[in-house]
Amino acid sequence: MIGGGVSGLAAAHRLRKLILHAELQLFEASDRLGGPLFTIAHDDSVLEQGADSFLIKTPFALDLCRELGLSDELIPTNEQHRRALVVRGGRLVPVPEGFVLMKPQNLGAMLKSPLLSPLGKLRLLAEPLALVPAAVNRPGYDESVASFATRRLGRETYERLVEPLIAGIYVADARQLSLAATYPEFLEAERRHGSLWRAIRAASRQDGRDEQQQPPAAAARYGQFVTLRGGLRTFVAALVDTLPRQAIRLRTPVMQVERHAAGRWAIKTAPGAPLEHFDAVLIAAHAPQAAPMIQQCDAELARNLASIEYASSAVATLVYHRQDIEHPLDGFGLVVPAIEHRPIVAASFLTVKFPSHGPPGRAIVRVFSGGALQPEMVDRDDHELVAIAKQQMAELIGASGEPIETRVIRWRDAMPQYHVGHVARVEAIEQSIAAHPGLELAGNAYRGVGIPQSIHSGRQAAERLAKQLST
Ligand SMILES: CC1=C(CCC(=O)O)c2cc3nc(cc4[nH]c(cc5[nH]c(cc1n2)c(C)c5CCC(=O)O)c(CCC(=O)O)c4C)C(CCC(=O)O)=C3C
């Protein structure tokens, strides 16, 4: 196993279930397992440095937590304030009720929202009149999120809502982000119904049949997020506990993966280090780091892996006395549209989402900067990043006084960027891999960036390997 992040740990766990006596070695380049799951416990606070929760709609993470005996540790999000806020002209405005990514499901809420101008609302209403380009029916059609959202919903809805929500999730440039790789259901809705409005109406007719009272959309969505009482490190610790200690090799980057005769593989960890031989190798590293490892074995595969771009971000955590923040914090966090020209991408109110993550009377705020649009921010020093975060929180949520505690973490090249054409590239990668029995790839670079998808990717790769090894 190469890579001890979420996918690699999930794959190692699965492999040892499938092959009881597997002699597994897990190589991790850094000095820590868990990848983007990294919790610091400090002063009765659970300071999440990376991901703070995971989705349960696709149940891969939830199922694994249960399998690991963590059911009693799972906690849902706060039942109050289940919505996101968007910055408009320096003020915070709630995402209109019912708006999901690109679907304005509640027209009344959109029309009442101060987020859009009257002209922007008119354009949004005209969505069913927007033409459907003939190209969308071509097999393998792809387009950027920016282009699709602009031509269907209008520039204003794109700039004020779609861009900050979607670009926030992927810390991406929406003008390059692939719709086919991120939300293919929107392309499908346009193909089938010629309009998103008509697709929504068709879906609600379907729902109407089972007579169920639907909860408000945002509340329902945030009900889909859960975390663990002590933070997500609990999950990493439980996974690691299932592996034998001697299987884990920290600070051991892999340089080369070689294919040997008779279905054997070998890896080299340092110049001059002896080759280590295995029946199979699973690479769960970042794609551009995997590329040089398999360069000699398959140059085309290496080229495709190397061409997947990544973005970086920095997170400043600020712990305030709750009374030092004027804003009611009646949302889970805020997203910042690029057109607002602020040096941050988003801020998340950790203790609003998960009140038990901090002691009473504290507010833990996580401020994100960097991403594909402001890559230089990640190179600022800790002091500057904290100063920027404090200034932005003073302006946006009226935070005053000194934070009780501050932390900064940089996530360099952590978020793969699914650019237009990503799906075709992943298909080419999967074809190359199929030609190498005993070699598999897993991770968030291919078919989904979230924790559940990363677990699924690792688990599936482990299952393919186990099958190959047993025949
Ligand atoms: C900065 C940032 C990153 C990048 C981190 C980095 O790389 O540095 C990120 C990643 C992600 N966010 C994700 C998903 C979502 N985030 C949401 C909501 C929010 N994100 C926010 C910020 C960020 N989020 C914020 C301030 C909110 C508002 C409320 C809150 O603070 O919670 C919502 C609800 C939106 C709605 O209202 O509909 C969803 C569905 C998934 C995919 C998960 C999967 O698919 O498994 C990923 C990787």
Side-chain angles (χ1 to χ4, degrees):
M1 191 71 49
I2 303 174
V6 174
S7 305
L9 289 174
H13 173 72
R14 186 73 191 138
L15 207 53
R16 282 177 40 86
K17 290 249 150 142
L18 293 170
I19 307 177
L20 287 179
H21 303 289
E23 279 178 43
L24 185 114
Q25 291 284 296
L26 188 153
F27 299 89
E28 164 58 39
S30 79
D31 57 6
R32 181 179 67 73
L33 296 170
L37 309 188
F38 180 34
T39 314
I40 295 174
H42 175 81
D43 203 8
D44 289 333
S45 298
V46 176
L47 303 178
E48 290 290 14
Q49 301 296 290
D52 62 20
S53 53
F54 59 81
L55 286 168
I56 58 175
K57 191 171 177 188
T58 45
F60 309 116
L62 184 65
D63 289 348
L64 186 51
C65 277
R66 291 188 172 143
E67 197 181 327
L68 293 166
L70 297 174
S71 301
D72 292 345
E73 303 298 310
L74 289 164
I75 50 177
T77 56
N78 192 345
E79 284 190 22
Q80 288 184 309
H81 313 310
R82 285 185 172 177
R83 60 180 186 177
L85 309 168
V86 190
V87 179
R88 179 180 175 113
R91 307 180 70 92
L92 297 184
V93 179
V95 171
E97 182 54 52
F99 188 89
V100 189
L101 301 167
M102 269 185 258
K103 271 195 301 195
Q105 287 167 326
N106 178 340
L107 204 49
M110 289 301 289
L111 297 182
K112 270 186 244 143
S113 171
L115 203 56
L116 300 177
S117 74
L119 220 56
K121 288 171 185 170
L122 264 181
R123 174 60 185 81
L124 184 62
L125 282 173
E127 192 273 338
L129 306 177
L131 295 177
V132 179
V136 300
N137 289 308
R138 280 207 298 263
Y141 176 77
D142 197 1
E143 161 173 24
S144 75
V145 165
S147 140
F148 181 88
T150 305
R151 68 178 176 76
R152 293 252 44 109
L153 307 172
R155 170 154 305 277
E156 210 180 307
T157 300
Y158 162 68
E159 286 180 337
R160 291 289 167 192
L161 262 171
V162 178
E163 189 276 335
L165 282 170
I166 296 185
I169 289 175
Y170 290 87
V171 283
D173 178 351
R175 294 165 302 189
Q176 290 190 274
L177 193 64
S178 158
L179 190 58
T182 53
Y183 301 103
E185 62 270 27
F186 291 108
L187 278 174
E188 193 48 35
E190 185 185 47
R191 266 186 216 120
R192 289 196 34 197
H193 301 277
S195 137
L196 299 178
W197 284 134
R198 283 196 286 272
I200 293 165
R201 244 176 289 141
S204 66
R205 271 197 301 275
Q206 202 90 40
D207 286 350
R209 269 180 223 147
D210 37 73
E211 301 268 310
Q212 269 181 5
Q213 192 69 30
Q214 306 279 335
R221 226 151 46 251
Y222 283 110
Q224 301 274 337
F225 283 98
V226 300
T227 196
L228 293 164
R229 210 174 298 283
L232 293 180
R233 71 166 184 179
T234 312
F235 185 38
V236 178
L239 264 177
V240 173
D241 273 351
T242 68
L243 304 175
R245 183 140 300 194
Q246 69 275 14
I248 295 165
R249 311 246 306 255
L250 296 178
R251 297 174 210 87
T252 314
V254 169
M255 294 186 61
Q256 198 167 318
V257 176
E258 291 178 12
R259 186 178 181 170
H260 285 202
R264 296 279 292 168
W265 292 85
I267 67 163
K268 191 149 82 181
T269 56
L275 286 177
E276 299 182 52
H277 296 272
F278 297 93
D279 296 310
V281 174
L282 198 161
I283 308 180
H286 288 188
Q289 287 165 8
M293 298 177 198
I294 49 104
Q295 170 66 33
Q296 289 206 343
C297 165
D298 188 331
E300 193 198 325
L301 173 57
R303 204 168 41 247
N304 274 321
L305 290 173
S307 66
I308 296 177
E309 287 176 48
Y310 278 68
S312 307
S313 62
V315 188
T317 302
L318 309 176
V319 182
Y320 286 102
H321 290 292
R322 178 63 189 87
Q323 80 247 24
D324 288 345
I325 297 176
E326 275 168 30
H327 193 276
L329 300 183
D330 50 358
F332 278 9
L334 61 89
V335 291
V336 183
I339 46 162
E340 288 281 321
H341 300 292
R342 284 181 178 267
I344 62 169
V345 178
S348 194
F349 309 146
L350 188 67
T351 41
V352 177
K353 271 197 258 195
F354 301 113
S356 62
H357 274 9
R362 301 267 165 92
I364 304 176
V365 177
R366 308 204 303 143
V367 184
F368 296 78
S369 48
L373 294 177
Q374 301 180 50
E376 67 287 347
M377 287 300 298
V378 178
D379 296 320
R380 304 287 188 104
D381 65 34
D382 287 12
H383 185 76
E384 282 177 287
L385 286 167
V386 166
I388 289 165
K390 273 165 54 181
Q391 176 65 30
Q392 292 297 310
M393 291 307 103
E395 292 174 23
L396 294 171
I397 58 171
S400 59
E402 274 307 297
I404 303 158
E405 177 74 30
T406 64
R407 298 273 159 148
V408 173
I409 189 162
R410 290 174 191 70
W411 295 99
R412 290 193 193 274
D413 297 328
M415 189 62 94
Q417 302 288 291
Y418 291 2
H419 285 166
V420 173
H422 182 78
V423 174
R425 182 175 290 155
V426 170
E427 281 166 2
I429 289 171
E430 287 171 351
Q431 259 181 23
S432 297
I433 277 289
H436 300 293
L439 181 67
E440 286 293 347
L441 283 174
N444 66 353
Y446 312 108
R447 293 195 179 268
V449 296
I451 296 166
Q453 293 309 322
S454 299
I455 289 169
H456 188 54
S457 166
R459 195 178 161 101
Q460 282 192 312
E463 283 169 7
R464 287 192 302 269
L465 268 194
K467 212 161 161 189
Q468 292 165 19
L469 290 173
S470 68
T471 54

